[in-house]
C-alpha cells in the first residue's frame, strides 16, 4: 500500500516534516512517498503545489496526506482545495493554546527557526564548529572545552552523533577513534585519562561494522569480519575495565543515540526548545 505524503510550508518546512514524519512512522504497513514543498509563499506556488498533489492522487489512486504549517490564510485556502487529507499543524495546536493562554499567537513565518543573531543560533554554530574541529582526534588539546568526548572504533557512529548533539542540543562534543595501538594493553591514552569523566563509549555489532567498512574499503583487512570482531571485543573490554558508560549504535538512529547519551551522561541542552 502506497500513499503520497506532502509537507508544505511558507517557511523551511522543518516543523511540518518533523511532526508529520513522527506521525507517519506509526503506520509501518504503509509505504509513503514523502515530498517536501518549502517556501510556498505566493498564490502561484500554492497553485503549483495543488497541481502536484492532485496529480499524485491520480497516479496513486488515493488521496495524498498533507501536513502544512502555512501561515498566510489566502495561501492556505488554495492548499485546502487539493485532493488530500490535510493536517493543519498550526490550527490543530495553536488554536487550543490561544484559548488556554487567552492570547492570540503571532502567526509569523519561520518563527521557530529565527533570528540568526539569537543566543540559540550562536550556541549552535559554536558547537558545530567545535565538533568539526575536534573530529577523529584532530585537536585533543581542546578537550578541556568539551562537554563530552565520544570514543569507539572507526565507523561506529561518532562523527554524526557529535554533529547531531551540536545541532540539536548545542553540546560541544569531540570524538576520538580507538585503534589497535590504543587497545593493545587495554588502557586509555594518557590525554584521554585526563578527561575520563567526559568519556562516553560507542560500540556496534561486528557484522554491521564490517558491512559499513566494506562500503568504504571493500575486501580490506580493515573491513574484514575477523578484524571487526577483534576491535569490538577489545573496545568493550576497555569500557568495562575503565568503567566507561557505553551504548550500542547497531540498531539505533542518530536521534536515539544522541538523546540516550544526553540522558545517560546527565547533559543539559544549551539550546532552548
Amino acid at each position: 500500500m502506497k500513499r503520497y505524503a506532502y509537507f508544505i510550508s511558507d517557511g523551511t518546512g522543518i516543523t511540518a516534516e518533523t511532526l508529520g514524519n513522527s506521525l507517519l512512522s506509526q503506520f509501518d504497513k504503509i509505504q509513503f512517498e514523502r515530498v517536501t514543498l518549502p517556501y510556498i509563499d505566493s498564490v502561484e506556488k500554492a497553485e503549483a503545489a495543488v497541481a502536484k498533489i492532485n496529480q499524485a492522487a491520480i497516479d496513486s489512486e488515493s488521496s495524498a496526506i498533507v501536513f502544512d504549517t502555512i501561515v498566510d490564510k489566502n495561501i492556505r485556502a488554495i492548499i485546502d482545495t487539493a485532493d488530500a487529507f490535510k493536517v493543519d499543524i498550526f490550527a490543530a495546536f495553536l488554536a487550543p493554546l490561544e484559548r488556554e493562554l487567552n492570547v492570540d499567537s503571532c502567526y509569523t513565518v519561520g518563527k521557530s527557526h529565527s533570528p540568526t543573531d539569537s543566543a540559540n543560533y550562536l550556541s549552535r554554530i559554536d558547537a558545530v564548529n567545535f565538533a568539526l574541529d575536534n573530529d577523529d582526534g584532530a585537536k585533543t588539546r581542546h578537550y578541556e572545552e568539551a562537554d563530552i568526548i565520544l570514543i569507539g572504533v572507526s565507523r561506529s557512529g561518532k562523527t554524526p552523533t557529535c554533529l547531531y548533539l551540536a545541532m540539536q542540543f548545542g553540546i560541544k562534543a569531540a570524538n576520538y577513534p580507538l585503534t589497535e595501538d590504543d587497545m593493545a594493553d587495554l588502557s586509555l591514552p594518557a590525554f584521554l585519562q585526563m578527561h575520563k569523566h567526559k568519556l562516553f563509549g560507542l560500540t556496534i555489532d561486528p557484522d554491521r561494522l564490517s558491512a559499513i567498512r566494506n562500503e568504504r574499503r571493500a575486501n580490506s583487512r580493515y573491513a574484514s569480519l575477523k578484524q571487526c570482531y577483534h576491535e569490538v571485543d577489545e573496545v568493550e573490554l576497555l569500557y568495562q575495565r575503565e568503567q566507561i558508560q557505553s551504548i550500542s549504535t547497531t540498531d539505533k538512529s542518530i536521534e536515539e543515540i544522541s538523546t540516550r547519551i544526553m540522558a545517560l551522561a546527565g547533559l543539559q541542552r544549551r539550546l532552548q526548545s
Side-chain angles (χ1 to χ4, degrees):
M1 189 174 180
K2 181 178 179 179
R3 297 287 293 270
Y4 278 85
Y6 283 84
F7 309 105
I8 303 178
S9 175
D10 37 17
T12 63
I14 292 173
T15 301
E17 275 187 337
T18 301
L19 182 55
N21 278 318
S22 294
L23 295 172
L24 293 181
S25 68
Q26 304 302 313
F27 302 92
D28 54 8
K29 293 182 180 179
I30 300 176
Q31 179 186 356
F32 292 101
E33 183 73 28
R34 293 169 167 84
V35 181
T36 301
L37 300 177
Y39 303 111
I40 304 300
D41 51 9
S42 69
V43 168
E44 293 76 18
K45 291 179 181 178
E47 290 174 343
V50 169
K52 289 181 181 179
I53 295 167
N54 290 343
Q55 185 59 52
I58 294 171
D59 294 343
S60 64
E61 299 182 345
S62 59
S63 298
I65 310 296
V66 170
F67 297 92
D68 85 79
T69 53
I70 299 291
V71 171
D72 188 288
K73 293 182 179 178
N74 294 323
I75 293 175
R76 193 188 312 128
I78 296 172
I79 298 298
D80 285 344
T81 66
D83 181 9
F85 175 81
K86 289 171 282 293
V87 180
D88 182 345
I89 293 173
F90 282 168
F93 295 104
L94 285 182
L97 275 171
E98 287 175 336
R99 290 194 294 271
E100 173 63 24
L101 299 173
N102 198 29
V103 174
D104 289 337
S105 59
C106 58
Y107 279 86
T108 303
V109 176
K111 188 72 173 178
S112 61
H113 308 294
S114 64
T116 56
D117 61 347
S118 69
N120 264 8
Y121 179 82
L122 296 176
S123 293
R124 178 180 285 113
I125 294 301
D126 190 31
V128 169
N129 284 334
F130 184 86
L132 293 172
D133 286 344
N134 294 274
D135 183 46
D136 251 6
K139 295 181 180 178
T140 58
R141 66 183 182 278
H142 293 159
Y143 283 2
E144 190 65 40
E145 300 175 39
D147 296 311
I148 194 166
I149 304 166
L150 303 186
I151 57 175
V153 300
S154 172
R155 312 305 288 180
S156 57
K158 300 182 300 300
T159 296
T161 302
C162 284
L163 288 171
Y164 190 88
L165 287 168
M167 283 291 295
Q168 289 297 115
F169 305 113
I171 295 296
K172 288 187 175 181
N175 76 78
Y176 182 85
L178 293 171
T179 65
E180 287 183 282
D181 291 339
D182 294 321
M183 295 180 283
D185 57 356
L186 282 185
S187 63
L188 292 168
F191 60 85
L192 287 182
Q193 282 284 3
M194 294 170 55
H195 305 287
K196 186 176 174 181
H197 61 291
K198 297 181 179 182
L199 300 183
F200 198 101
L202 300 186
T203 186
I204 187 172
D205 177 76
D207 294 271
R208 174 64 179 150
L209 179 62
S210 177
I212 293 171
R213 288 183 173 184
N214 265 300
E215 292 178 4
R216 189 179 188 188
R217 297 184 201 167
N219 304 315
S220 63
R221 176 177 176 272
Y222 167 79
S224 69
L225 269 176
K226 181 179 179 181
Q227 180 65 18
C228 291
Y229 268 91
H230 170 70
E231 289 186 29
V232 171
D233 286 345
E234 290 294 297
V235 79
E236 289 181 353
L237 283 172
L238 179 62
Y239 295 159
Q240 292 175 21
R241 176 172 173 173
E242 297 289 341
Q243 296 183 315
I244 296 170
Q245 287 193 98
S246 66
I247 60 171
S248 172
T249 63
T250 305
D251 56 356
K252 297 180 180 65
S253 65
I254 294 300
E255 294 88 344
E256 184 179 356
I257 295 166
S258 301
T259 51
R260 283 181 180 272
I261 288 173
M262 291 287 292
L264 292 170
L267 295 174
Q268 297 297 315
R269 64 161 62 234
R270 295 183 183 276
L271 305 179
Q272 295 298 314
S273 299

